[in-house]
């Protein structure tokens, strides 16, 4: 068997984070009595949030700073006089409630758990991921779930892989990471020296020059890849 361990990213790989984000932002805005306009507010937030998580990947901001700064920028852009830290806490409370899996996730994880050791490594905040992922219906299939805030380092830093795998005496050639982000999951796997599988359901153009070992457009394709490796 080529692979013994399969590492998954969580959000937008197994979990539908876009839905979680959409519902959480709506419910938070309504909590603060804001007349919510999804077309306007969600697009502004996503643009700001994507940029600030990239800053985290690049080491230009800490996760503690991120918690408040993204909402400081968001509320400032909209000229709303709401305390960013209070808004941020309310948003994370709503975000933690949203554990939505993609339709193929459960079947895939169940099948793979019979022949492989499974892990999750996710860039995220402990208070959010604790509920969304660690208490999800698929959590028990994973030997470990590593949340970046808990361990103090984020993908693509190879240290997060070292932490996740420190109890395993295993050849890196027997490890595969699966994720939707080229700059986080795939670059992280490359940095650590393991095979990578880019989950690209929307068939986005790869404009980063980052070369995954495999590219798949549906989760079901992963089963074929790992079974061929046996």
């Amino acid at each position: 068997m080529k692979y013994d361990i399969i590492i998954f990213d969580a959000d937008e790989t197994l979990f539908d984070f876009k839905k979680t984000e959409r519902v959480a932002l709506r419910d938070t805005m309504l909590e603060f009595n804001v007349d919510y306009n999804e077309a306007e507010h969600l697009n502004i937030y996503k643009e700001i949030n994507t940029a600030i998580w990239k800053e985290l990947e690049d080491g230009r901001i800490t996760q503690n700073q991120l918690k408040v700064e993204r909402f400081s920028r968001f509320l400032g852009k909209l000229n709303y006089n709401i305390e960013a830290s209070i808004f941020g806490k309310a948003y994370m409370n709503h975000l933690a409630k949203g554990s939505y899996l993609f339709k193929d996730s459960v079947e895939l994880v169940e099948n793979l758990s019979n022949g492989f050791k499974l892990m999750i490594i996710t860039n995220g905040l402990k208070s959010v991921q604790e509920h969304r992922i660690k208490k999800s219906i698929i959590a028990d299939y994973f030997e470990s779930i590593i949340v970046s805030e808990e361990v103090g380092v984020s993908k693509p830093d190879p240290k997060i892989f070292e932490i996740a795998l420190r109890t395993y005496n295993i050849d890196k050639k027997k490890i595969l990471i699966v994720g939707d982000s080229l700059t986080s999951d795939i670059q992280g796997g490359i940095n650590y020296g393991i095979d990578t599988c880019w989950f690209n359901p929307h068939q986005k153009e790869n404009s980063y020059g980052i070369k995954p070992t495999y590219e798949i457009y549906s989760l079901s394709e992963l089963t074929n890849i790992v079974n061929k490796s046996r």
Side-chain angles (χ1 to χ4, degrees), residues 30-157:
L30 294 176
E31 181 178 333
F32 284 85
N33 298 313
V34 173
D35 187 13
Y36 181 60
N37 181 328
E38 182 173 293
E40 176 188 8
H41 294 152
L42 184 60
N43 286 336
I44 291 173
Y45 174 72
K46 287 172 71 173
E47 181 179 347
I48 290 170
N49 194 49
T50 298
I52 204 165
W53 277 98
K54 184 62 172 66
E55 291 175 27
L56 178 72
E57 287 179 19
D58 295 341
R60 291 181 283 139
I61 193 170
T62 68
Q63 289 196 322
N64 275 334
Q65 292 170 328
L66 179 149
K67 292 178 186 179
V68 177
E69 179 60 24
R70 59 179 170 177
F71 294 110
S72 179
R73 297 179 191 180
F74 174 67
L75 296 167
K77 177 82 171 179
L78 295 171
N79 294 315
Y80 290 149
N81 187 24
I82 302 172
E83 176 60 47
S85 61
I86 297 174
F87 188 94
K89 288 179 181 178
Y91 174 80
M92 286 197 289
N93 286 337
H94 288 295
L95 199 68
K97 299 173 185 176
S99 185
Y100 307 109
L101 288 158
F102 289 128
K103 62 184 180 68
D104 295 334
S105 296
V106 176
E107 182 179 1
L108 173 70
V109 170
E110 285 180 346
N111 290 339
L112 293 181
S113 66
N114 291 322
F116 304 89
K117 295 181 176 67
L118 306 181
M119 294 182 176
I120 285 178
I121 299 180
T122 175
N123 283 357
L125 306 175
K126 178 182 177 182
S127 61
V128 173
Q129 306 300 56
E130 184 76 31
H131 293 276
R132 294 187 55 249
I133 298 172
K134 291 190 174 183
K135 295 183 180 178
S136 71
I137 62 172
I138 62 171
D140 288 344
Y141 291 107
F142 295 92
E143 295 208 353
S144 60
I145 298 173
I146 307 299
V147 180
S148 61
E149 187 182 34
E150 289 185 290
V151 298
V153 62
S154 304
K155 297 173 291 184
D157 192 324

Side-chain angles (χ1 to χ4, degrees), residues 124-208:
L125 306 175
K126 178 182 177 182
S127 61
V128 173
Q129 306 300 56
E130 184 76 31
H131 293 276
R132 294 187 55 249
I133 298 172
K134 291 190 174 183
K135 295 183 180 178
S136 71
I137 62 172
I138 62 171
D140 288 344
Y141 291 107
F142 295 92
E143 295 208 353
S144 60
I145 298 173
I146 307 299
V147 180
S148 61
E149 187 182 34
E150 289 185 290
V151 298
V153 62
S154 304
K155 297 173 291 184
D157 192 324
K159 291 179 183 177
I160 196 168
F161 294 88
E162 293 171 6
I163 292 168
L165 295 159
R166 61 189 168 193
T167 60
Y168 295 88
N169 182 18
I170 187 170
D171 187 340
K172 288 183 179 181
K173 292 179 181 178
K174 292 184 174 293
I175 305 170
L176 176 71
I177 181 170
V178 183
D180 69 294
S181 172
L182 284 167
T183 56
S184 173
D185 308 312
I186 306 308
Q187 187 61 61
I190 291 170
N191 291 346
Y192 185 62
I194 60 177
D195 282 357
T196 60
C197 181
W198 181 30
F199 177 49
N200 184 19
H202 304 296
Q203 301 187 35
K204 297 178 182 177
E205 180 184 357
N206 182 348
S207 58
Y208 292 98

